[in-house]
């Protein structure tokens, strides 16, 4: 390979990685890495690189992407560079079993998708098992939504996550009752029929040794437990507590509640109705289920650190082996409406879970974010203990990288203005459809045809290049033919603009979603190829950005703008 071609391929490489603009320095460094002997002629190499980089930078990103396909070694290097794997798990003994335990009280969003993706990926990495457990044992405060069970299944399948076993905690009340009975018999748990305020008074005063319910013998606790199950106590009149360290500096960990009574006649569970009145708390149900289903590794946010310590008491009392717990930092999301109360408020006032303003997985999907993007972002962050921040710009960057080689490029003009085409003869534009696959489409125009231009591109007397067609001058309501070749357009400094033939045009509405604002509608026209699209297709609107087809009707096509 001659020197100029080596420089050319690395200029393409650098340009494609930086939105179409290569820089001389990195290109020269790559050349020297491949050919160290050229360092003796550094000045000549730099001079050649300046010339080649200028040439590459004069090309469109689409042309650069198409050209780089000639160098499969670079494409393979890019794949290796971008492929990030997870760090190994500690304490792997036998089959690795992980789980994802969402509360079905709303749709999944980017934050809680992290635990799902990491847990699944680690199970797959070790040829282990992955379990989906619905944590739905609070029919009052964190009341499950019946539809949310299916929402979560659909979102996980969209992420290409599959599971070996699925169960609902609400279907396992008898298992929790059995463990409770054992712990009461052992004297490590007790039934508390005093008020919450009396318990807190003793706890906060560090006088738990004087708290009468704590010293009741097992036979008294078993009798009270039977009465709880029999419905003799109203809501709030009896709980089961686990005995922990009464001197713990964290009051929430002292004799925390294992089970409580919930009046399911007033707050029926969406699955079991009012069949049960005694419900386990999160920490008790989680500990029992993780043990009985053989969970070996738990991946959770470090904000659950206290919960891990609470659950350890159950494991120790029951003689069970505690799973390995891996905690990660908070995932801060910038540019999103992340407040769960705001999300729920929007859902309660009529918004659907796939509202593109929301950071729900359904909202991102509707917006044109692909599942591989979400998975790659989460794997890139991995199991960092420190807090990590993801902005929508991060997501857009990854999504753009993954879509760029496969998305169709289509011309769309906003707020289109019609002009008559003053050309000497019929012309055909050979327009790249998918540059990386060398796919094109032809658009024919004749003298006198009307074409739409974007209002922002219109300036009287200005010479522009109609993309892949010809160079024209804007005069009144006409476009006067100047020349046809690209080189003369470059010499004249003509901007390359998109255009749509009026007789072939399709009405298009592009909806832009701002997290804190109403949805904005942008009306325009798309070229004829739009008639080949179907709902769900994601395309690149030339010089505008990526968008997903939301709906198609006789009156036109509606798209959701994804990102530039």
């Amino acid at each position: 390979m001659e020197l100029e071609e080596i420089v050319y391929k690395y200029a393409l490489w650098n340009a494609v990685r930086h939105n179409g603009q290569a820089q001389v320095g990195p290109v020269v460094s790559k050349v020297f890495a491949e050919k160290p002997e050229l360092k003796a002629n550094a000045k000549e190499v730099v001079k050649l690189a300046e010339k080649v980089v200028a040439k590459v930078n004069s090309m469109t990103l689409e042309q650069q992407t198409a050209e780089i396909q000639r160098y499969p070694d670079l494409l393979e290097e890019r794949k290796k560079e971008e492929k990030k794997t997870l760090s190994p798990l500690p304490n792997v003994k036998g089959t690795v079993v992980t789980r994802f335990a969402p509360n079905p009280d709303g749709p999944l969003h980017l934050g809680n998708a992290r635990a799902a993706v990491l847990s699944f990926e680690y199970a797959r990495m070790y040829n282990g098992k992955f379990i989906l457990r619905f944590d739905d044992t609070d029919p009052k405060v964190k009341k499950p939504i019946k539809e949310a069970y299916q929402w979560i299944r659909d979102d996980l399948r969209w992420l290409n996550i599959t599971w070996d076993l699925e169960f609902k905690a609400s279907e396992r009340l008898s298992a929790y009752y059995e463990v409770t009975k054992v712990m009461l018999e052992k004297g490590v748990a007790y039934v508390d029929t005093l008020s919450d305020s009396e318990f807190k008074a003793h706890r906060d005063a560090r006088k738990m040794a004087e708290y009468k319910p704590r010293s009741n013998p097992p036979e008294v606790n078993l009798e009270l437990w039977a009465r709880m199950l029999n419905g003799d106590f109203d809501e709030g009149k009896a709980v089961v507590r686990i005995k922990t360290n009464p001197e713990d500096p964290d009051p929430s960990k002292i004799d925390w509640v294992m089970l409580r009574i919930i009046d399911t006649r007033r707050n029926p569970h969406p699955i079991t109705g009012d069949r049960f009145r005694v419900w386990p708390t999160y920490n008790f149900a989680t500990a029992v289920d993780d043990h009985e289903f053989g969970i070996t590794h738990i991946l959770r946010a470090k904000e659950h650190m206290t919960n891990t310590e609470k659950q350890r008491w159950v494991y120790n009392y029951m003689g069970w082996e505690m799973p390995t717990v891996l905690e990660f930092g908070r995932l801060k999301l910038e540019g999103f409406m992340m407040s769960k109360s705001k999300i729920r408020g929007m859902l309660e006032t009529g918004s659907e879970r796939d509202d593109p303003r929301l950071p729900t997985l359904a909202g991102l999907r509707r917006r044109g974010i692909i599942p591989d993007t979400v998975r790659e972002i989460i794997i890139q962050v991995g199991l960092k203990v420190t807090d990590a921040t993801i902005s929508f710009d991060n997501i857009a960057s990854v999504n753009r990288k993954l879509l760029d080689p496969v998305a169709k490029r289509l011309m769309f003009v906003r707020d289109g203005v019609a002009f008559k085409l003053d050309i000497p003869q019929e012309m055909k534009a050979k327009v790249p459809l998918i540059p990386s696959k060398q796919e094109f489409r032809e658009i024919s125009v004749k003298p006198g045809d009307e074409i739409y231009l974007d209002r922002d591109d219109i300036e009287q007397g200005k010479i522009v290049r109609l993309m892949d067609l010809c160079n024209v001058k804007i005069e009144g309501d006409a476009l006067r033919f100047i020349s046809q070749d690209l080189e003369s357009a470059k010499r004249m400094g003509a901007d390359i603009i998109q255009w749509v033939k009026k007789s072939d045009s399709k009405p298009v509405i592009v909806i832009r979603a701002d997290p804190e604002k109403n949805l904005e509608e942008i009306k325009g026209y798309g070229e004829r190829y739009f008639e080949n699209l179907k709902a769900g297709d994601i395309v690149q609107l030339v010089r505008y950005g990526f968008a997903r087809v939301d709906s198609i009707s006789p009156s036109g096509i509606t798209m959701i703008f994804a990102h530039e």
Side-chain angles (χ1 to χ4, degrees), residues 451-478:
I451 65 170
Y452 285 120
L453 299 185
D454 190 311
R455 189 176 294 277
D456 290 344
D457 290 329
I458 299 169
E459 182 181 331
Q460 287 296 321
K462 184 177 181 180
I463 295 175
V464 296
R465 177 169 179 80
L466 304 179
M467 193 174 77
D468 295 300
L469 182 64
C470 64
N471 310 314
V472 297
K473 186 175 184 180
I474 303 173
E475 293 183 352
D477 62 354

Side-chain angles (χ1 to χ4, degrees), residues 259-326:
L259 302 101
R260 73 288 201 208
I261 297 166
I262 295 177
D263 187 348
T264 46
R265 289 167 299 185
R266 293 183 178 180
N267 294 285
H269 192 283
I271 304 299
T272 61
D274 61 357
R275 181 179 166 195
F276 301 103
R277 287 170 51 82
V278 180
W279 288 87
T281 56
Y282 164 79
N283 282 304
F284 182 57
T286 297
V288 173
D289 287 344
D290 285 346
H291 167 71
E292 293 195 6
F293 287 89
I295 305 302
T296 62
H297 292 78
I298 299 170
L299 285 72
R300 57 167 51 140
K302 67 180 181 182
E303 61 200 64
H304 285 282
M305 191 180 299
T306 298
N307 291 329
T308 299
E309 295 306 311
K310 288 181 178 181
Q311 292 164 25
R312 197 179 301 278
W313 284 95
V314 178
Y315 277 88
N316 290 341
Y317 281 142
M318 295 300 294
W320 299 338
E321 183 179 354
M322 183 86 176
T324 298
V325 179
L326 302 169

Side-chain angles (χ1 to χ4, degrees), residues 435-500:
S436 64
K437 297 181 180 180
Q438 292 292 296
E439 292 185 22
F440 298 85
R441 63 196 179 284
E442 286 193 346
I443 304 174
S444 298
V445 293
K446 298 177 181 177
D449 278 348
E450 287 189 291
I451 65 170
Y452 285 120
L453 299 185
D454 190 311
R455 189 176 294 277
D456 290 344
D457 290 329
I458 299 169
E459 182 181 331
Q460 287 296 321
K462 184 177 181 180
I463 295 175
V464 296
R465 177 169 179 80
L466 304 179
M467 193 174 77
D468 295 300
L469 182 64
C470 64
N471 310 314
V472 297
K473 186 175 184 180
I474 303 173
E475 293 183 352
D477 62 354
L479 301 174
R480 309 292 182 194
F481 178 80
I482 301 292
S483 58
Q484 197 165 1
D485 62 303
L486 177 60
E487 288 304 316
S488 62
K490 291 178 180 177
R491 287 195 301 271
M492 293 183 288
D495 291 336
I496 300 175
I497 65 174
Q498 71 269 38
W499 52 278
V500 172

